Amino acid sequence: MRESAQVLAEVPTQLSPQELIGTLVEQGMLTDPASPRGRLLNAAARLFEQRGFARTTVRDLAAEVGILSGSIFHHFASKEQILCAVMKEVTIFASARMRSAAESAGCPQEKLRACIQSELEAIHEQAVPGFSILVMEWRSLSEESQEEVLQLREEYERIWLDAIVAAKCPGDDPALVRRLLVGALSHTYSWFEPRDRGLTIPELADRTFRIFTP
Amino acid sequence: MRESAQVLAEVPTQLSPQELIGTLVEQGMLTDPASPRGRLLNAAARLFEQRGFARTTVRDLAAEVGILSGSIFHHFASKEQILCAVMKEVTIFASARMRSAAESAGCPQEKLRACIQSELEAIHEQAVPGFSILVMEWRSLSEESQEEVLQLREEYERIWLDAIVAAKCPGDDPALVRRLLVGALSHTYSWFEPRDRGLTIPELADRTFRIFTP
Amino acid sequence: MRESAQVLAEVPTQLSPQELIGTLVEQGMLTDPASPRGRLLNAAARLFEQRGFARTTVRDLAAEVGILSGSIFHHFASKEQILCAVMKEVTIFASARMRSAAESAGCPQEKLRACIQSELEAIHEQAVPGFSILVMEWRSLSEESQEEVLQLREEYERIWLDAIVAAKCPGDDPALVRRLLVGALSHTYSWFEPRDRGLTIPELADRTFRIFTP
Amino acid sequence: MRESAQVLAEVPTQLSPQELIGTLVEQGMLTDPASPRGRLLNAAARLFEQRGFARTTVRDLAAEVGILSGSIFHHFASKEQILCAVMKEVTIFASARMRSAAESAGCPQEKLRACIQSELEAIHEQAVPGFSILVMEWRSLSEESQEEVLQLREEYERIWLDAIVAAKCPGDDPALVRRLLVGALSHTYSWFEPRDRGLTIPELADRTFRIFTP
DNA sequence: GATGAATGAGGATTCATTCAT
DNA sequence: TATGAATGAATCCTCATTCAT
């Protein structure tokens, strides 16, 4: 279905989420959200994020897309495979999005800020819901599935590390900075309300950026 | 059972974890780990942390303490009540530990570093098994139970905020710094291996401290 | 499923129990006894009557229709819902039966006698298994379910009251007469043996009728 | 404990329920309501009547008298034995009460009316709660226990039959009349509210009497 | 691709009963 | 007699998964 991560380089910069998804679908990297499989994945992403994987039943999933629970197994071999597929799609989309954001940045500092904002948008925006699942439900995945997702994630993490190195974060340990940022940013899912009159996502990105850079 | 958080002030500084637990048990703040209820709570903390709440069965719990599953309900009304009790005990113990650590620090900078180290120790050391549950299984708790734990957590967070304010972290938003730290530190559970020949906990605390302060 | 009690008026008089059930099934008032749900309801009626609701397990029920206990919850949300459904079906069937019996009676006296006999047949005959459950297991039903059954029962009780009023029972309190009759007749379940060489149901109906009328 | 039913003859006429209980306790026919066993029986009678035998747990019982569930088995070998004991005590008390009521009646008609009123009082009055259990929970009793209670009940039923025969009820089948009355009267537990501003117990007895006699 | 009935192992929970203290 | 911890079988119910239609 998807051959290589290099294909992503062809994705033009500065697309809207919808356009980006459209492009990736055309390239066969993402499932068409209008297809039965795509609607299932979107519903799963939404429910797994809201209720958690263990607390979401196959029946909930089926009801959400208007089919019966038995029919789900025409699309996926198991519930865990659905989680795995969600994580893969989320990873692919987030990678494309990050690359696009990182490339359009002027200076190294701006690049890191763009990465932070891109990840925050992935976590909180409805475009491809489910990013927080990557962290929160990691342990619900079998080791084999973890391996699959990890491979897809490599490019994503490479972009991050490049940005951190270039921005010269303190502590001269880019990997540690990234790890702290993963936790810090994914945890925003639990407390940050983008719809609040308070902080916006760009503002939150900005403040986080300033805390992590000297 | 426990009247007020002020009582904690009586706990002397610089005790070993075992001594601290002993003191808190004597004050009626913590369940005696040697009692049936205490052994159950310890086993639950361990298993919930390792396997997750949903993937731990009541039978697993019972087997761990050498009783039958039905006997558990002599001590707790439901599985969720066990999770709630674990979180409360963990919070109480971690609070006492943090206060003790913060008080023994010389300067403001040192105080924040001590807080970071204390929380890392809580997450990774066996002294406070179950600390990571507070973050990872938060959504497995009913809203009423969340409220109960939240009240106990207030003092803990107050110590943190005081330390952050005093240390003059950049970004002049102590609450945000704390939130990012919660996520960053709790996520270390997923990747940091204290038993590795690599980083030790004090070292990790030190590096994290330097990243978060100018 | 069933729109209005008036539909019952269309049921022709003097059908055999089987024919009456067939007619009601066609009208969508009753579950088809040949369907899985119908077989389950019949088995439940039988077992609840014999052993009582509390002493009948979901496994007993499943075994009776040749499925596994888990499969029951494909058809009903809970054990109590099965009891509720049984009571509703019994009420609908008994109502149709009573109306048919009352309408075919010549004079007022005969009408009351027909009602008594109809209820006795409902209690003791296999045609309406489960009628005694209505009285004996009433308290096993949640209040919401009681309300549902009560509404269906209205027509049944109206026929009774009409018959009592017309027959001019002594004591000029038709509601009281009906209440005493409910208890008196349902209690026959505990002592009357229709298969005995002694009293037949028509004879018992006749004697009861004579005791309750001057 | 109690040697023979003849002893009952010594009970004087026209005592208050409390006095009657006192007398029977002195004669060793009834358990002292102030003793642990007596308080347990009273609590059981109350709860079995309110919730039903199956829906009342041994823990409920224990809580009601302020002991722990395990302690109950110092007084009774099993839960069923408690039900049996309740039924026996209720039967003994109701017998004494009926005899007393029947003996103080002037004419045969009045005697039957007194029986009806006495049974209604047993069902609805708080003096010895639990009379309705005799009918409603009969099937919760093992056959051996049923036999025991049945023997105690003989005298009670003899008084009833005598009264019915003497009052010349219609239908010339005193046993049938009694059976209908058992059902009719015990069922009043489900609908009659003695504390209502409506019917009083003597009034209800009167009306019932007039319906059952020409 | 979808249905819906069934599976069957496993889930939390209940509860009468036992027994050492 | 009372306690309270423990038993253990049984209870209702859940849910991912299968499969004939």
Side-chain angles (χ1 to χ4, degrees):
Chain A
M1 195 170 228
R2 36 187 105 78
E3 308 85 89
S4 126
Q6 268 62 7
V7 182
L8 284 171
E10 299 165 17
V11 175
T13 312
Q14 301 295 39
L15 295 173
S16 80
Q18 312 305 337
E19 287 169 328
L20 182 51
I21 290 176
T23 310
L24 292 168
V25 168
E26 271 168 36
Q27 293 178 0
M29 315 280 299
L30 240 45
T31 305
D32 181 359
S35 69
R37 183 188 153 103
R39 284 190 297 132
L40 202 43
L41 285 175
N42 273 324
R46 223 175 309 129
L47 292 179
F48 291 166
E49 193 156 67
Q50 277 168 27
R51 312 182 193 175
F53 177 73
R55 283 178 294 278
T56 303
T57 73
V58 168
R59 266 189 172 73
D60 293 337
L61 246 39
E64 193 82 359
V65 288
I67 58 174
L68 286 182
S69 69
S71 310
I72 283 192
F73 296 89
H74 284 284
H75 303 283
F76 295 95
S78 70
K79 189 186 170 192
E80 199 242 351
Q81 283 297 310
I82 302 178
L83 178 60
C84 180
V86 166
M87 287 192 176
K88 281 167 151 181
E89 303 252 331
V90 164
T91 301
I92 290 165
F93 177 63
S95 283
R97 205 137 196 283
M98 270 268 294
R99 167 169 295 247
S100 156
E103 278 169 358
S104 64
C107 64
Q109 305 296 319
E110 179 55 27
K111 197 171 179 178
L112 178 56
R113 215 204 61 86
C115 285
I116 293 174
Q117 178 166 336
S118 182
E119 190 156 309
L120 282 172
E121 283 167 358
I123 291 169
H124 296 282
E125 220 124 280
Q126 56 281 62
V128 164
F131 188 86
S132 67
I133 297 173
L134 281 170
V135 172
M136 306 201 31
E137 298 295 349
W138 188 248
R139 291 196 309 176
S140 300
L141 222 51
S142 69
E143 292 202 6
E144 301 89 59
S145 300
Q146 285 185 355
E147 193 47 48
E148 287 181 49
V149 179
L150 236 32
Q151 278 172 12
L152 278 175
R153 195 174 170 110
E154 260 171 29
E155 193 217 357
Y156 185 79
E157 293 301 329
R158 197 158 8 88
I159 302 173
W160 262 107
L161 278 184
D162 290 349
I164 293 170
V165 168
K168 300 202 181 81
C169 282
D172 57 42
D173 187 345
L176 176 59
V177 171
R178 170 56 183 150
R179 276 172 161 158
L180 295 179
L181 269 169
V182 168
L185 295 179
S186 69
H187 183 58
T188 63
Y189 183 76
S190 303
W191 59 266
F192 179 64
E193 268 300 337
R195 269 164 291 285
D196 267 12
R197 54 245 151 274
L199 237 48
T200 62
I201 286 184
E203 283 165 6
L204 177 58
D206 209 59
R207 295 198 182 193
T208 305
F209 169 72
R210 283 210 297 267
I211 289 171
F212 273 83
T213 51
Chain B
M1 194 176 223
R2 36 188 102 80
E3 309 84 273
S4 127
Q6 269 64 4
V7 181
L8 285 171
E10 300 167 16
V11 175
T13 311
Q14 302 295 39
L15 294 173
S16 80
Q18 313 305 338
E19 289 169 326
L20 182 50
I21 290 177
T23 310
L24 291 169
V25 168
E26 272 168 35
Q27 293 178 2
M29 316 276 299
L30 243 42
T31 305
D32 182 358
S35 72
R37 184 188 152 103
R39 284 188 296 131
L40 203 42
L41 285 176
N42 274 326
R46 225 175 308 128
L47 292 180
F48 291 166
E49 193 157 68
Q50 276 167 28
R51 311 183 192 177
F53 177 72
R55 283 178 293 276
T56 303
T57 74
V58 165
R59 273 187 173 80
D60 293 338
L61 244 39
E64 192 81 2
V65 285
I67 59 175
L68 288 184
S69 69
S71 309
I72 284 192
F73 296 90
H74 228 275
H75 305 284
F76 296 96
S78 68
K79 189 186 168 193
E80 199 242 350
Q81 284 294 311
I82 302 178
L83 177 60
C84 181
V86 166
M87 286 191 177
K88 280 166 148 182
E89 302 252 332
V90 164
T91 301
I92 289 166
F93 178 60
S95 283
R97 203 139 195 280
M98 271 267 295
R99 165 171 296 246
S100 157
E103 278 169 358
S104 65
C107 66
Q109 305 296 318
E110 179 53 28
K111 195 171 181 178
L112 179 55
R113 215 205 60 86
C115 285
I116 293 174
Q117 177 166 338
S118 181
E119 190 155 308
L120 282 172
E121 284 166 357
I123 291 169
H124 296 282
E125 219 124 281
Q126 56 280 60
V128 189
F131 188 85
S132 67
I133 297 173
L134 280 171
V135 172
M136 308 211 22
E137 300 294 351
W138 188 247
R139 293 196 309 176
S140 300
L141 222 51
S142 70
E143 291 203 6
E144 301 86 63
S145 301
Q146 286 185 355
E147 192 49 47
E148 287 181 50
V149 179
L150 236 31
Q151 278 173 13
L152 278 175
R153 195 173 169 109
E154 260 171 30
E155 194 219 356
Y156 185 78
E157 293 301 329
R158 200 161 4 90
I159 303 173
W160 261 107
L161 278 185
D162 289 350
I164 292 171
V165 167
K168 298 205 182 81
C169 282
D172 58 39
D173 187 346
L176 175 59
V177 170
R178 170 56 183 150
R179 277 171 161 160
L180 295 178
L181 269 169
V182 168
L185 296 179
S186 69
H187 184 58
T188 62
Y189 183 76
S190 302
W191 59 266
F192 179 66
E193 268 302 336
R195 269 165 292 285
D196 268 10
R197 55 245 154 274
L199 238 47
T200 63
I201 285 184
E203 283 164 7
L204 176 57
D206 209 57
R207 294 196 184 193
T208 305
F209 168 73
R210 282 212 297 268
I211 288 171
F212 273 82
T213 51
Chain C
M1 193 174 225
R2 35 188 104 79
E3 307 86 89
S4 127
Q6 269 64 6
V7 181
L8 284 171
E10 300 167 15
V11 175
T13 312
Q14 302 295 41
L15 294 173
S16 79
Q18 313 304 338
E19 288 169 327
L20 183 50
I21 290 177
T23 309
L24 292 169
V25 168
E26 273 169 33
Q27 292 178 3
M29 316 276 300
L30 241 44
T31 305
D32 182 359
S35 71
R37 184 188 152 103
R39 284 189 295 134
L40 203 43
L41 286 175
N42 274 326
R46 224 174 309 130
L47 292 180
F48 290 167
E49 194 156 66
Q50 278 167 28
R51 312 182 192 176
F53 176 73
R55 281 177 296 276
T56 303
T57 74
V58 166
R59 270 188 173 76
D60 293 338
L61 244 38
E64 192 81 0
V65 286
I67 58 175
L68 288 183
S69 69
S71 309
I72 284 192
F73 297 91
H74 229 276
H75 304 282
F76 296 95
S78 69
K79 191 186 168 193
E80 199 241 353
Q81 284 295 310
I82 303 178
L83 178 60
C84 180
V86 165
M87 287 192 176
K88 281 166 146 183
E89 302 251 331
V90 163
T91 302
I92 289 166
F93 180 59
S95 282
R97 203 140 196 283
M98 270 268 295
R99 167 171 293 247
S100 158
E103 277 169 358
S104 65
C107 64
Q109 305 296 318
E110 178 54 27
K111 196 171 178 177
L112 179 55
R113 216 205 60 88
C115 285
I116 293 174
Q117 179 166 334
S118 182
E119 190 155 310
L120 283 171
E121 284 167 357
I123 291 169
H124 296 283
E125 218 123 283
Q126 55 280 61
V128 190
F131 188 86
S132 67
I133 297 173
L134 280 170
V135 172
M136 308 206 26
E137 299 295 350
W138 187 246
R139 292 195 309 177
S140 301
L141 222 50
S142 70
E143 291 202 7
E144 301 88 60
S145 300
Q146 286 185 355
E147 192 47 48
E148 286 181 49
V149 179
L150 236 31
Q151 278 173 12
L152 278 175
R153 196 175 169 106
E154 261 171 29
E155 194 217 357
Y156 185 79
E157 292 302 330
R158 197 159 8 88
I159 302 173
W160 262 106
L161 278 185
D162 289 349
I164 293 171
V165 168
K168 298 203 183 81
C169 283
D172 57 43
D173 188 345
L176 176 59
V177 171
R178 171 56 184 150
R179 276 172 161 158
L180 296 178
L181 269 168
V182 168
L185 295 179
S186 69
H187 184 58
T188 62
Y189 184 77
S190 302
W191 59 267
F192 179 64
E193 269 300 337
R195 270 165 289 285
D196 269 11
R197 53 246 153 272
L199 237 47
T200 63
I201 285 185
E203 283 165 6
L204 176 57
D206 209 57
R207 295 198 183 193
T208 305
F209 169 72
R210 283 212 296 268
I211 288 171
F212 273 83
T213 51
Chain D
M1 195 174 228
R2 38 188 103 78
E3 310 82 274
S4 129
Q6 268 64 7
V7 182
L8 284 172
E10 298 167 16
V11 175
T13 312
Q14 301 297 41
L15 294 174
S16 80
Q18 313 305 339
E19 289 168 327
L20 182 51
I21 290 176
T23 311
L24 291 168
V25 168
E26 274 169 33
Q27 293 177 3
M29 315 279 299
L30 242 43
T31 305
D32 181 358
S35 71
R37 184 188 152 103
R39 284 188 298 130
L40 202 43
L41 286 175
N42 273 324
R46 225 176 307 129
L47 292 179
F48 291 166
E49 193 156 67
Q50 277 168 28
R51 312 182 192 177
F53 177 72
R55 283 177 294 277
T56 303
T57 72
V58 168
R59 267 190 171 74
D60 293 336
L61 246 40
E64 192 82 1
V65 286
I67 58 174
L68 286 183
S69 68
S71 310
I72 284 192
F73 297 88
H74 285 283
H75 303 282
F76 295 95
S78 70
K79 190 186 169 192
E80 199 241 350
Q81 283 297 309
I82 302 177
L83 177 60
C84 180
V86 166
M87 287 192 177
K88 281 166 148 181
E89 302 253 331
V90 165
T91 302
I92 289 165
F93 177 62
S95 283
R97 206 138 195 280
M98 270 270 292
R99 165 170 297 246
S100 155
E103 278 170 358
S104 65
C107 66
Q109 306 295 320
E110 180 53 28
K111 195 172 179 178
L112 178 56
R113 216 204 59 87
C115 286
I116 292 173
Q117 178 166 337
S118 180
E119 189 155 310
L120 282 172
E121 283 166 357
I123 290 169
H124 296 282
E125 220 126 278
Q126 57 279 62
V128 163
F131 188 86
S132 67
I133 297 173
L134 281 170
V135 171
M136 306 204 30
E137 300 294 351
W138 188 247
R139 292 198 307 178
S140 300
L141 222 52
S142 69
E143 292 202 6
E144 301 86 62
S145 301
Q146 285 185 356
E147 192 48 47
E148 287 182 48
V149 179
L150 235 32
Q151 276 172 14
L152 277 176
R153 195 173 169 109
E154 260 171 30
E155 192 218 358
Y156 184 78
E157 293 301 329
R158 200 162 1 91
I159 302 174
W160 262 106
L161 278 185
D162 289 351
I164 292 170
V165 168
K168 297 204 183 79
C169 282
D172 57 42
D173 187 345
L176 176 59
V177 170
R178 170 55 184 150
R179 276 171 162 160
L180 295 179
L181 269 168
V182 168
L185 296 179
S186 69
H187 183 59
T188 61
Y189 182 76
S190 303
W191 59 268
F192 179 65
E193 269 300 337
R195 270 165 290 287
D196 268 8
R197 55 243 153 276
L199 238 48
T200 63
I201 285 184
E203 282 165 6
L204 176 58
D206 209 56
R207 294 197 183 194
T208 305
F209 169 71
R210 282 212 295 268
I211 287 170
F212 273 82
T213 51

